[in-house]
Amino acid sequence: MSTPPSAHAFLVLLLLVLAGAVIASAENNKDCHPSDKAALLAVKSAFGNQSHFASWTPSTPCCDWHDITCNDAGRVIILLFFEDVNLTGTIPDAISGLTELLVLNLYYLPAISGPIPKGIAKLSKLTSLSISLTSVSGPIPSFLGALTKLNDLTLSSNSLTGTIPASLAGLRYLDTIDLRNNRLTGTIPPLFYNSKSPIIPYLLLSNNHLSGSIPTEFAAVGFQFIDLSHNALTGDASVFFGRTKELESINLSHIALSFDLSSVEFPEEMQAMDASYNAIRGGIPAQVANVTNLRQFNVSYNKLCGQVPAALARLDVYNFQHNKCLCGAPLPDPCKK
């Protein structure tokens, strides 16, 4: 299955690092705002003054410290803790003192544990919150719904449990929700992406324990990337499709979906679909021939019947195996006339 969201996340990190280098160069030897410096030193203290914070010394300008990016006014706007297997502890509430923070990113910190601190709710200007590849646990707190300017919420590959809070539906600028690889349960809130934002959303919830029906409200949303795989969801996934939608990649594998594929119109910009290991019935619509950029189309292990459209004959046979009565190339069984 294509993995554009991972590339998207890497690009975001790269841009943050480059932005930090550019702004830090412009702000060389400039100290940050006193309240920001006090908050950062409190964060360092809460982490026990570990070696990760060796550059965070009171006698040096804090805009030059590792992990920090300041704006022209000397306010800390980006805090990025990146790839440190030796950094231990919990995310400190002291982060709440960085009142101008726009981006908070904690990536690949496997020894960071504990809950998401309530102090994050005070970062009212935050546009991107990313906590990934850590040992952070507990529920996704409902107070994240107070971050009304948030457009990217990435909490993937942690040890989070509980349900997805309905309060996230109130985040009208949110365009990326990435909660993959946790232990989340319950249903998907039906009002995700209830705004009419022009930004095309990412919905990435794979490898959890989510259940219940796919919300019918999603029919009105123009998703670009969807990954709901490896959950226990039910319902009609045809709500994600439509000829004029801008969906590029969708992974619905290993879910237990049951719906009729025959009447689905595939987005003409779609590049990859994996709907394997479900109970999807009907046939593969001939309209798939209009999807000219399609690289992957896996419908194996379903209950499909009829002829595989000629436009898909170029794909590997495994994409169509183990169905009720599919026939025609690339399958070895010809269709009976």
Side-chain angles (χ1 to χ4, degrees):
M1 184 67 189
S2 176
T3 57
S6 296
H8 170 77
F10 177 78
L11 179 60
V12 169
L13 285 172
L14 179 61
L15 290 174
L16 290 176
V17 172
L18 291 175
V22 172
I23 299 176
S25 177
E27 296 298 321
N28 191 33
N29 296 321
K30 182 175 182 178
D31 212 353
C32 61
H33 192 276
S35 65
D36 288 349
K37 191 167 191 175
L40 291 170
L41 290 172
V43 168
K44 177 183 178 180
S45 177
F47 274 118
N49 300 309
Q50 296 178 56
S51 60
H52 182 93
F53 303 96
S55 69
W56 292 26
T57 59
S59 60
T60 58
C62 55
C63 289
D64 292 342
W65 293 355
H66 184 62
D67 300 332
I68 305 301
T69 299
C70 296
N71 63 13
D72 290 339
R75 301 308 302 262
V76 175
I77 58 171
I78 297 176
L79 181 59
L80 169 62
F81 296 147
F82 185 64
E83 291 188 347
D84 188 343
V85 298
N86 297 313
L87 184 61
T88 62
T90 60
I91 303 172
D93 254 327
I95 285 176
S96 65
L98 300 170
T99 55
E100 298 295 313
L101 200 65
L102 302 179
V103 175
L104 176 59
N105 195 316
L106 289 79
Y107 179 79
Y108 193 57
L109 306 169
I112 296 296
S113 58
I116 297 173
K118 192 170 184 179
I120 287 180
K122 297 180 181 179
L123 303 176
S124 61
K125 297 185 179 181
L126 207 63
T127 61
S128 177
L129 173 61
S130 180
I131 303 171
S132 294
L133 292 166
T134 75
S135 296
V136 168
S137 59
I140 298 175
S142 60
F143 59 69
L144 294 183
L147 301 175
T148 57
K149 296 185 178 180
L150 206 63
N151 57 53
D152 175 16
L153 178 62
T154 297
L155 303 174
S156 60
S157 300
N158 297 298
S159 297
L160 297 170
T161 55
T163 60
I164 301 173
S167 62
L168 299 184
L171 300 176
R172 60 190 301 257
Y173 299 112
L174 200 62
D175 63 79
T176 297
I177 298 178
D178 185 355
L179 308 178
R180 292 175 291 178
N181 304 316
N182 282 289
R183 304 171 191 170
L184 301 174
T185 56
T187 60
I188 301 174
L191 295 180
F192 265 0
Y193 303 116
N194 62 343
S195 70
K196 299 186 182 298
S197 170
I199 301 174
I200 300 171
Y202 290 64
L203 180 63
L204 310 172
L205 304 177
S206 61
N207 290 290
N208 280 288
H209 306 293
L210 298 173
S211 58
S213 296
I214 293 174
T216 58
E217 291 88 347
F218 283 171
V221 181
F223 292 99
Q224 186 173 13
F225 292 99
I226 300 170
D227 189 353
L228 304 182
S229 62
H230 295 274
N231 281 290
L233 299 167
T234 59
D236 188 353
S238 65
V239 297
F240 293 123
F241 299 100
R243 186 188 299 265
T244 60
K245 289 192 175 183
E246 299 190 44
L247 181 66
E248 292 186 20
S249 178
I250 182 167
N251 191 340
L252 302 171
S253 64
H254 296 267
I255 296 181
L257 295 174
S258 178
F259 66 97
D260 191 340
L261 191 66
S262 303
S263 59
V264 166
E265 288 190 320
F266 296 110
E268 296 185 0
E269 299 299 318
M270 190 172 72
Q271 300 177 20
M273 184 185 88
D274 188 346
S276 59
Y277 292 90
N278 284 290
I280 301 171
R281 61 190 184 277
I284 302 173
Q287 179 262 344
V288 74
N290 298 329
V291 187
T292 55
N293 294 322
L294 194 63
R295 300 192 310 268
Q296 181 184 11
F297 189 86
N298 190 344
V299 290
S300 60
Y301 292 89
N302 278 288
K303 298 181 179 180
L304 296 170
C305 281
Q307 184 169 1
V308 176
L312 302 179
R314 59 186 170 80
L315 300 178
D316 290 332
V317 65
Y318 74 83
N319 290 292
F320 308 99
Q321 290 177 328
H322 303 286
N323 273 282
K324 185 177 180 181
C325 47
L326 276 181
C327 58
L331 292 167
D333 302 322
C335 296
K336 297 178 181 179
K337 295 183 179 180

